[in-house]
Amino acid sequence: MRPDLETVADHLDPRVPDWAMPSVRPARREDLSGLAAIEEEGDRQFAQRFGGVDWPPPVSGADRAAEPGFLLVVGDPVVGFAHVLDLGDGCWHLEQLAVAPAHQRQGVGSALLDAVHAEVEARGGSEVTLLTYADVPWNAPWYARHGYARVDPASRLAPMLEVERRLGLERHGPRVAMCRPVGGLTPPSGSRS
Ligand SMILES: CC(C)(COP(=O)(O)OP(=O)(O)OC[C@H]1O[C@@H](n2cnc3c(N)ncnc32)[C@H](O)[C@@H]1OP(=O)(O)O)[C@@H](O)C(=O)NCCC(=O)NCCS
């Protein structure tokens, strides 16, 4: 082997080039049945953190598909998905983002989030809202690194907060509303960390 040439091992650094990022696609009918299991696995991480709580059952893929909005997925079979609701009047709400634990921390969640922003922009939206736990490391702090800022959940998010209250989500910690502009002068997308 020529000693002046670099080996593959010289370049095994952790930076993931753009072309190797997980590819995101719109959900197909056959993907729907796998979504609830992914959500349930993600919910188990909350149960571990909060201590064996009764968690609301996951929403079925079919129920998600019946809502106005869009569903994006990664993998075949699916290993992660994002469900965005069209609230009307140009308002888009990230209702769920979940990645199967075995596939987490490899950029799948970030790729889905970037695709959500691009899709909302393509559909003429100017911002995305969400509700999440303030103090869970992979919730509000992670979204903040992806350009989301806390907002007053009054007005259009109030009905969703009410649903969350009924489900008892607030028992485990403060929930916060967050919003991120898309298109135009958007904040830089978060890095993997
Ligand atoms: C939030 C979620 C979608 C992120 O997916 P992901 O594919 O791991 O995201 P990325 O790989 O793009 O980002 C990884 C970063 O997220 C943060 N993160 C992810 N899991 C974490 C954990 N268990 N503890 C602390 N930080 C975590 C870290 O900053 C991590 O970077 P690092 O690995 O360099 O430390 C995923 O954790 C998940 O599905 N969680 C359960 C469901 C959920 O909470 N959804 C959001 C509801 S609002």
Side-chain angles (χ1 to χ4, degrees):
M1 191 176 70
R2 280 176 49 179
D4 57 320
L5 296 182
E6 293 178 325
T7 65
V8 173
D10 292 325
H11 296 279
L12 290 179
D13 66 62
R15 192 186 68 83
V16 181
D18 286 347
W19 50 262
M21 290 311 284
S23 77
V24 180
R25 61 177 174 84
R28 296 189 292 257
R29 194 168 298 280
E30 57 269 30
D31 298 322
L32 298 180
S33 60
L35 304 190
I38 295 170
E39 182 181 348
E40 201 163 27
E41 280 191 84
D43 286 349
R44 242 176 265 141
Q45 292 174 280
F46 287 111
Q48 278 162 9
R49 183 181 172 91
F50 298 139
V53 289
D54 266 353
W55 206 253
V59 178
S60 75
D63 283 351
R64 292 191 181 284
E67 302 270 5
F70 61 89
L71 262 172
L72 301 178
V73 301
V74 165
D76 196 2
V78 174
V79 300
F81 72 94
H83 180 204
V84 178
L85 291 174
D86 179 359
L87 303 182
D89 302 323
C91 301
W92 298 84
H93 183 77
L94 181 59
E95 204 285 326
Q96 183 59 270
L97 175 68
V99 175
H103 297 270
Q104 287 178 8
R105 305 186 96 154
Q106 298 167 42
V108 175
S110 297
L112 281 162
L113 208 47
D114 286 348
V116 162
H117 303 150
E119 184 62 17
V120 166
E121 186 182 357
R123 290 172 183 238
S126 58
E127 62 180 34
V128 178
T129 56
L130 56 84
L131 299 172
T132 195
Y133 280 108
D135 303 325
V136 173
W138 59 90
N139 279 192
W142 185 75
Y143 285 116
R145 287 200 290 280
H146 284 271
Y148 283 81
R150 291 192 191 193
V151 290
D152 180 355
S155 66
R156 66 197 145 92
L157 294 184
M160 290 175 190
L161 271 175
E162 185 47 39
V163 170
E164 292 203 342
R165 249 175 234 129
R166 263 185 273 129
L167 291 171
L169 298 195
E170 286 186 333
R171 273 180 298 153
H172 312 300
R175 300 283 293 171
V176 287
M178 302 185 88
C179 183
R180 182 196 192 277
V182 298
L185 292 173
T186 55
S189 183
S191 64
R192 273 246 304 111
S193 56

